[in-house]
Amino acid sequence: MTEIKLIIFRYDPSKDEKPHYETYTVPWRQRLTVLDALNYIKENIDSSISFRQGCRSAICGSCAVRIEKRGCLACKTTIGEETREITIDPLNHYKVIRDLVVDLEPFYERMKQIQPYLVRNNTIAMTTKEMLIKPEDLAEAKNLRDCILCGSCFSDCNTLDVDNTFCGPAALVKTLRFASDPRDNNEGRLAQAVELGLYKCPVDQECEFACPKEINIRRGAIERLRYLAVQKELAPLPEHKKLINSVLDSGGIVPVKAKPATEMFPEYIKEFDGEPQAEVLLYLGCIINRRKQNVAAAIINIFQNNRIAVHLPGKVTCCGSPFMRIGQRDSMRPFVEKNFSIFNDYAARGITDVVTSCSGCNSTFRHDFPKLAKEFDIPMNFRIFDVGEYMYEKIALNVKGLKKTNIRAMYHYPCHIRASGLAEDIYIDLIQRIPGVELVKVPKSGYCCGGGGGVRAAFPELADRLAVRRIEIAKESGVDTLITNCPFCVLSFERVLGMKEERGEKMGFRIIDFYEMFSEAYSI
């Protein structure tokens, strides 16, 4: 009989000095859930173990715990036959009452702050007609109503790890649930959401991955609330206005301080003999084009070593991601029109693969632009790829003779790459093709750099705390290098490493861009 080991957090404040883990062996069967396994332990091995359960049908949310460091419902999480052991912890950000049972009062208190109920003007008599809601208004609220108050999103929130004043994702979901209800008369909901931290979310989607009801928290709730806040002139925040002005003035999120990569390289790059394996349009994005030209050179070098001809148009503009992330959706038309016009022109010449080097640009092109193009009646005759994705899936990658790179490293999986639906395994596999690289597993993927969602601009100290935490996690794991493929992440990590060095903290640690490392491996 197949057996599995459950490593379970145990703590009874009445008799234990500190928490500890105990291991239990449970027989495995088809469709065994974590809750089934916990009940087996309680009934057959150790009756003292404490956990919550209720409906056993993913409706009540009572059995929420952390499984392998992620918030989950124990009744919904099945244990695969190949699983040998799993670790189960109580939800994060709550006081432990006993073992896996936590005090959810902080979660409910945040919920109370946003008044999660319809607010009516009781001085005016209601009519039946007033209480009717149109189908189109109901559609927006439908997914938001699915929240079962399990607290998993609150547990997995990166912002709450470093800033306890943030109201949390569930409270913002409930805010939108009522702010979008035409029957609600609470005119202060949006202002309250901004006050309680609407713009402190780095849109890393950790809450969304923890949500057992699969609520679209990032784009469907948080970015929607930000859009409504802009409509009510409660946003953007002053620091975001500076960011937006930079884009409007210069065409990019960062000012030009050095010769852009689009001016350093010709518009068509083919440095090898014979026919190319493929031809791509390379979209660099603002940061790589204007600040990280070395990354642009690395990507071009990778493509040349793989017989990929590169088209590098110089007249593209910002992808507009900053506008989308802070709620200025109505400002997106010029970015869509200009970039799509260029991309479609190349597509008409047979260059239909647009490859992005920035994870934020990729996520925006992939998720936001198709909807906007449809609204603006602009054709989309091309396909969007991430550079790493293209290397992994679309070409016969040349890995012969790659130079050995002796580093002990950890891969930082950018949230925008994950938001594009690209698996972490793509980049881990590519890194492992470089001889000499020893990769250490991250304790939990999803640790945030703090650089997304406008947090870096509006709340730099919060962003720094998130970035420092991520570096310290890597450092504690005994690595000397953190590898990532997002320019926002790189800038965030470089900033806090510089701050530590200035304070005399010698880290002996480096940040390296994934593409720079791969390009260096081609050097002989």
Side-chain angles (χ1 to χ4, degrees), residues 318-321 324 332 335-337 339-340 343 363-374 380 382:
C318 177
C319 70
S321 176
M324 289 297 296
M332 286 294 291
F335 304 103
V336 180
E337 287 180 338
N339 287 320
F340 271 43
F343 298 168
S363 179
T364 302
F365 284 147
R366 221 168 194 141
H367 289 285
D368 301 314
F369 271 42
K371 295 176 184 177
L372 293 167
K374 188 174 182 180
M380 185 172 176
F382 51 88

Side-chain angles (χ1 to χ4, degrees), residues 158-395:
N158 275 305
T159 298
L160 282 166
D161 284 349
V162 298
D163 185 345
N164 194 41
T165 65
F166 179 48
C167 63
L172 293 176
V173 167
K174 287 295 183 186
T175 297
L176 182 60
R177 155 69 183 88
F178 293 102
S180 60
D181 193 318
R183 302 168 297 175
D184 189 64
N185 292 140
N186 186 349
E187 296 295 330
R189 286 197 189 278
L190 292 173
Q192 192 173 42
V194 173
E195 179 69 23
L196 293 174
L198 176 59
Y199 283 93
K200 288 184 176 181
C201 171
V203 297
D204 53 26
Q205 292 180 279
E206 279 301 288
C207 53
E208 203 166 300
F209 287 97
C211 178
K213 308 309 286 186
E214 299 180 354
I215 296 173
N216 183 3
I217 300 175
R218 174 192 167 170
R219 284 184 165 88
I222 290 173
E223 291 187 4
R224 174 65 177 164
L225 275 174
R226 291 176 177 183
Y227 173 75
L228 295 176
V230 169
Q231 301 303 297
K232 292 285 188 178
E233 298 185 347
L234 299 168
L237 303 182
E239 295 81 0
H240 292 149
K241 290 179 182 178
K242 296 176 185 176
L243 198 70
I244 295 306
N245 287 334
S246 173
V247 177
L248 295 175
D249 292 342
S250 69
I253 193 173
V254 292
V256 177
K257 291 188 176 180
K259 190 176 184 179
T262 49
E263 296 178 15
M264 293 169 56
F265 296 95
E267 189 166 331
Y268 181 66
I269 307 166
K270 178 180 173 294
E271 299 172 349
F272 51 86
D273 297 328
E275 289 298 311
Q277 179 182 175
E279 290 194 44
V280 300
L281 185 156
L282 176 59
Y283 180 89
L284 294 175
C286 305
I287 294 177
I288 291 179
N289 188 36
R290 297 180 172 193
R291 291 278 180 87
K292 295 291 182 180
Q293 294 89 339
N294 50 329
V295 177
I299 293 168
I300 291 168
N301 184 49
I302 292 169
F303 280 147
Q304 297 307 293
N305 275 278
N306 285 279
R307 305 180 60 81
I308 307 296
V310 175
H311 296 264
L312 191 66
K315 294 184 179 180
V316 292
T317 188
C318 177
C319 70
S321 176
F323 289 83
M324 289 297 296
R325 305 293 77 85
I326 66 175
Q328 289 196 267
R329 188 177 188 277
D330 293 341
S331 302
M332 286 294 291
R333 188 174 192 119
F335 304 103
V336 180
E337 287 180 338
K338 185 167 184 178
N339 287 320
F340 271 43
S341 173
I342 293 170
F343 298 168
N344 283 325
D345 284 346
Y346 273 88
R349 293 155 47 189
I351 315 302
T352 58
D353 293 347
V354 176
V355 183
T356 66
S357 58
C358 171
S359 57
C361 297
N362 188 276
S363 179
T364 302
F365 284 147
R366 221 168 194 141
H367 289 285
D368 301 314
F369 271 42
K371 295 176 184 177
L372 293 167
K374 188 174 182 180
E375 288 180 26
F376 304 152
D377 195 26
I378 300 172
M380 185 172 176
N381 301 325
F382 51 88
R383 299 174 298 176
I384 296 292
F385 297 94
D386 172 68
V387 172
E389 174 192 17
Y390 205 80
M391 292 166 61
Y392 185 78
E393 296 181 355
K394 302 302 294 183
I395 62 175

Side-chain angles (χ1 to χ4, degrees), residues 433-465:
R433 297 189 195 189
I434 302 173
V437 177
E438 180 187 353
L439 269 186
V440 177
K441 185 179 178 181
V442 187
K444 174 181 78 73
S445 293
Y447 288 115
C448 182
C449 76
V455 173
R456 166 66 61 197
F459 302 99
E461 291 183 1
L462 167 60
D464 288 343
R465 288 197 293 271

